[in-house]
Amino acid sequence: MGKRIIVDIHYDQKRVAIMEDGELAEFYMEDDENQGLAGNIYRGRVVNVLPGMQAAFVDIGLDKNAFLYVGDINVENSVFDFNGLNNEGQTRIKSLSIKDIIKEGQAVTVQILKEPMGTKGARLTTNITLPGRYVVLMPTLDYIGVSRRIDSEEERNRLRQIAESVKPKGIGLIVRTAARDKNEEDLIPDIEMLCRLWEKIKNAEKTGSVPRLLHKDESLLYRTIRDIFDSDVEKVVINDYEQYEKVLELVRTICPSLEERVKYTDLKRNLFELYGIESKIEKAIQRKVWLKSGGYIVIDPTEALTVIDVNTGKYVGKANLEDTVFRTNLEAAEEIPHQIRLRDIGGIIIIDFIDMEQEEHRKKVLEVLSEALKKDRTKTNVIGLTGLGLVEITRKKVRPRLSTVFLKPCPYCNGTGRVYSESSVIAKVEKELERLFQRDKVWGALVRVHPSVAHAWISDDKNALEQLETTLDKKICIEADDNLHIEESRIELLYGPGDLEKTVRFS
């Protein structure tokens, strides 16, 4: 079983799963609430310039102002007014403060590099890129690049020569991996289409209010076919006939030889369940991932980076400790790149492999890790081992990780993954009772709490409740409520014994 693309359409929700040898390798979802923004081009207005951060905030019409770093500003093609600087001054532009490049109130054309994540707004660039099937057009830059995923140096040189012959004057090109073994006549239609798109965007710049959207990147399904569907893909399966027709039309245009690999299915059964994808998605948002040997890895995201810890778990090995550790680390080195790619983890990643004494073992684990990371289409770099034996990885961050699409922060633990213990909840309730009894002249109180808290309060420490009643000179009744969270409590003040008639007292 090779590579497959499974597309599940359900009302307004589109889900795309990339399967490799039966395993879920990548997953993407798009609906009304989760619309991808990366790649969109806007006409925005600079609202704040911060020289101390060498950055500016730009209003592009989103809920939060977007972030434009000085290093993402084009300074070569006169995109900005440099306040009268001469040519010599422009060559030294990168050493200047951002306030010398742009100013508040200025209108700029920008593209989203990274989508808004958490409390951070989108990250912008003025270096516009327009992706096609075989090339990426860079209208504000002027150089040629070839995908590093094309291993053959001979093929890279051949494609570079073709790009040089077809490149529009003053415009940059990046030759994509899909262009491998393609010729000049394959690239030219792509370039012409992208040039027409750029002209359309330039025309849209001239009129209209600011901020406004100039160009929205293509839909999830279009991007999938454009960027992923190639001769390595055995088939594309779609469960919506209308979308199937649109995909066929696109495939006939950009890769007609692969048309027969696009399949429509009208099965009433959930397509993702049929291919076992639903359960794989469920596992992809869990903190702990079990390895086949019995070891496991733990993935913990933080504000600044993601930490991945490797443990032997149930695996005890057959030879000695060093061999057990080595084999666990090797298996983890294969699994971690898969999890990084599937979960779309970006930024700084720190891996804490189990300590290995032999240098050859450490080298082998790094080799396996680096080789497995080559399957990732997103740019990833292995920095190496730190002095403490940790492996550092950086991965380009474009969109929020998979878990943020399915999960939201817990309103009780606030991201800690922990809740208050029963004794802590009891202590908080006792303090609240003391405060309420001081304020009101009441006979007592009915306290509704989670069953485990009620059990701990009454059964585990009977004397504590009696002592509290004696100290406060009030009657306290405890009632268990299954509908309450363990940290929740509800206190009802009682003004006489008659108020207890409709309550249940646990003893």
Side-chain angles (χ1 to χ4, degrees), residues 217-379:
D217 198 15
E218 300 290 354
S219 68
L220 171 61
L221 205 48
Y222 184 101
R223 297 196 309 270
T224 300
I225 299 302
R226 180 191 68 194
D227 300 340
I228 302 176
F229 188 35
D230 56 23
S231 58
D232 293 334
V233 177
E234 289 184 351
K235 63 179 177 178
V236 178
V237 183
I238 308 174
N239 66 350
D240 182 273
Y241 193 76
E242 183 180 346
Q243 294 298 327
Y244 163 75
E245 288 281 292
K246 289 181 179 179
V247 168
L248 270 186
E249 184 179 347
L250 176 61
V251 169
R252 287 171 186 146
T253 302
I254 64 175
C255 46
S257 62
L258 302 179
E259 181 182 341
E260 291 185 355
R261 302 190 188 188
V262 181
K263 308 293 183 183
Y264 165 71
T265 176
D266 59 355
L267 289 174
K268 301 302 180 184
R269 185 179 170 189
N270 184 325
L271 192 58
F272 272 27
E273 282 187 0
L274 181 65
Y275 283 89
I277 298 172
E278 296 286 11
S279 60
K280 295 179 189 296
I281 294 173
E282 190 68 30
K283 290 180 181 178
I285 58 177
Q286 301 301 318
R287 179 172 174 261
K288 182 184 287 188
V289 179
W290 287 98
L291 304 174
K292 293 179 181 178
S293 66
Y296 64 90
I297 60 176
V298 175
I299 303 172
D300 282 318
T302 71
E303 189 74 20
L305 48 81
T306 299
V307 180
I308 302 177
D309 187 35
V310 182
N311 297 276
T312 54
K314 303 173 185 176
Y315 181 53
V316 295
K318 295 181 179 179
N320 52 53
L321 177 60
E322 178 68 17
D323 181 72
T324 301
V325 167
F326 177 52
R327 293 183 181 279
T328 303
N329 282 340
L330 278 180
E331 195 172 355
E334 288 274 8
E335 182 62 29
I336 288 171
H338 173 241
Q339 292 296 325
I340 289 173
R341 182 181 169 198
L342 174 57
R343 296 168 187 242
D344 210 359
I345 300 172
I348 301 170
I349 304 167
I350 302 294
I351 305 174
D352 184 10
F353 285 106
I354 308 168
D355 290 339
M356 293 171 286
E357 294 181 0
Q358 297 182 28
E359 180 64 24
E360 61 183 276
H361 284 176
R362 290 193 286 268
K363 287 182 178 179
K364 181 62 177 177
V365 168
L366 279 179
E367 286 176 11
V368 171
L369 180 70
S370 299
E371 188 63 29
L373 285 169
K374 289 181 180 179
K375 298 177 182 178
D376 196 345
R377 294 184 299 119
T378 302
K379 186 178 180 181

Side-chain angles (χ1 to χ4, degrees), residues 115-118 343-344 397-405:
E115 298 192 5
M117 299 181 197
R343 296 168 187 242
D344 210 359
K397 186 187 294 184
V398 177
R399 60 185 64 83
R401 67 181 65 218
L402 182 65
S403 58
T404 61
V405 175

Side-chain angles (χ1 to χ4, degrees), residues 104-159:
E104 290 183 12
Q106 183 174 351
V108 291
T109 297
V110 290
Q111 186 174 34
I112 293 184
L113 267 181
K114 297 179 182 177
E115 298 192 5
M117 299 181 197
T119 59
K120 298 178 181 178
R123 181 170 173 176
L124 304 174
T125 180
T126 66
N127 296 316
I128 308 299
T129 57
L130 300 173
R133 172 69 171 175
Y134 300 120
V135 300
V136 176
L137 194 76
M138 299 179 294
T140 61
L141 297 174
D142 188 5
Y143 72 87
I144 291 174
V146 179
S147 170
R148 293 185 179 182
R149 293 177 65 83
I150 299 176
D151 298 326
S152 169
E153 191 64 31
E154 182 180 349
E155 178 65 4
R156 287 166 58 85
N157 289 333
R158 186 187 72 86
L159 290 170

Side-chain angles (χ1 to χ4, degrees), residues 40-45 58-62 107-112 124 200-216:
N40 287 0
I41 300 173
Y42 297 83
R43 189 67 173 168
R45 191 173 301 282
V58 182
D59 179 10
I60 58 174
L62 302 181
V108 291
T109 297
V110 290
Q111 186 174 34
I112 293 184
L124 304 174
K200 182 179 177 182
I201 293 169
K202 291 295 289 181
N203 289 332
E205 268 186 335
K206 299 172 184 176
T207 58
S209 60
V210 178
R212 69 183 185 279
L213 177 68
L214 297 179
H215 168 70
K216 181 174 176 58

